[in-house]
Amino acid sequence: MFFIDTMDLEGLGNRSYLAGGRRAAVAVDPPRDVDQVLTAAARRGVRIAYVVETHIHNDYVTGGLELARVTGAAYLVPAGAHVSFARVPVADGDTVTVDSGLDLRAVATPGHTPHHTSYVLREQGQPVAVFTGGSLLIGTVGRPDLVEPRLTEQLARAQHASAHRLAAELPDETSVLPTHGFGSFCSSAQTSGGDTTTIGTEKSVNAALTTDVDSFVARLLADLDDIPAYYTHMGPANAAGPAPVDLTSPAIADADEIAARLAAGEWVVDLRNRVAFAEGHVAGSFNFEADGRIATYLPWLIPWGKPVTLLAESPEQLAAAQRELVRVGIDRPAAAATGTPRQWIPEGDSLASFPRSTFAGLAEHGTDDVVVLDVRRDSERAGGYIADSVHIPIHRLHERLGEVPAGTVWVHCAGGTRAAVAASLLDAAGRDVVAVDDGFDAAAEAGLTVVTSG
């Protein structure tokens, strides 16, 4: 008998896995905060004998090196990956025994990266699952443009070939267990085909397996979305060998220190929900909800290496945010505070605030005397936009604030989360802003003119 435990990293849109038998297990693409993997192994009563990487990750900092160190496990990394630490290089066809009757076989699946490797879990010699990393995903494949622009088309063609190799070599009932594809920007497309799949299912629904290579590559390259800016730092960090994480509480900042850090140009990030933030917050602070995709959007927007102070409503909220951020290389907050906004400002100072509304509210007010700012990505705007709206994607807004026309700014995204971030950036810059907290589908329903290319 074997088991496979899945660890969801929802903030990143990724998964990692622990698979094994009665006594030993293998960890696949572990997150940097390895304690959850250790807890899963302890719960199963197994020893982690192997830690494997499908590739050098571009979207998060791995915990593989640290997990191997603390457990004594062999650290398996694709042989073609150039790294600065000791590891067991893995080549196509290499096989290790995980437990009695349970082994893991490496299958070269280049495409997401040149060295990408999948791992087939076999029970008594029969494939039962394949850990596909950034190769074959649920209904799509991993994007091929994160390594080097001149390699993108070559890697896209390799993705097609790798998908076909897996489909040809594995039984239809084999479970496909990818690392990316649950909201991750490492996925070449966001699909709604559920969160489980098999080789047989992918043969009928995945474009890599249902279209010819030229058509597949053309469509794949045409659909590639923006790359989060922090990705450029993840690969080098993983190749160098990440340091162990420190999740202890940061130094506590009082109101005067928070004010001083703001005055020095540092980032002060309020983790509370966007409704509470709009009602009252420290002037100059930015709102990245702890329950939102903070691990994607904060590292995407913040100038890399800039000190950040976190403001949270509870120690638990602060700890959860710290855990999310170490996964993407923001290792230690410069300082932190918990409690309420009144505790975070010097006595005599006032809290800042701004109104929230909906698309119906915008329609009722009218768009003639306001700036409508769309902070969605280019690919989203291509599907339709409000007439005469200004478009600056959220990840460009901080550096392009000067391009926002004068007047009150009604800012929207697709659902409200990014609009709240944008509203906080604009508010901190001294602009009058209204955060549209609504789904974009409601714009046309409210009577606003939505322009579509069709």
Side-chain angles (χ1 to χ4, degrees), residues 392-412:
I392 303 177
I394 183 63
H395 57 279
R396 301 290 187 197
L397 182 59
H398 184 62
E399 62 193 35
R400 295 175 57 185
L401 285 170
E403 299 178 26
V404 180
T408 299
V409 183
W410 287 61
V411 59
H412 78 86

Side-chain angles (χ1 to χ4, degrees), residues 82-97:
H82 299 293
V83 298
S84 301
F85 50 83
R87 89 291 193 200
V88 178
V90 177
D92 185 49
D94 286 353
T95 302
V96 296
T97 298

Side-chain angles (χ1 to χ4, degrees), residues 186-260:
C186 272
S187 174
S188 64
Q190 303 305 323
T191 64
S192 55
D195 62 359
T196 61
T197 193
T198 63
I199 289 292
T201 298
E202 292 306 305
K203 283 181 178 179
S204 64
V205 302
N206 197 307
L209 298 172
T210 60
T211 58
D212 66 89
V213 63
D214 290 333
S215 300
F216 168 77
V217 169
R219 179 64 182 270
L220 179 64
L221 299 185
D223 288 348
L224 291 173
D225 212 333
D226 298 315
I227 301 173
Y230 70 93
Y231 275 25
T232 193
H233 304 284
M234 300 296 97
N238 288 323
V245 300
D246 179 2
L247 291 173
T248 59
S249 297
I252 300 302
D254 61 16
D256 289 337
E257 182 179 348
I258 292 169

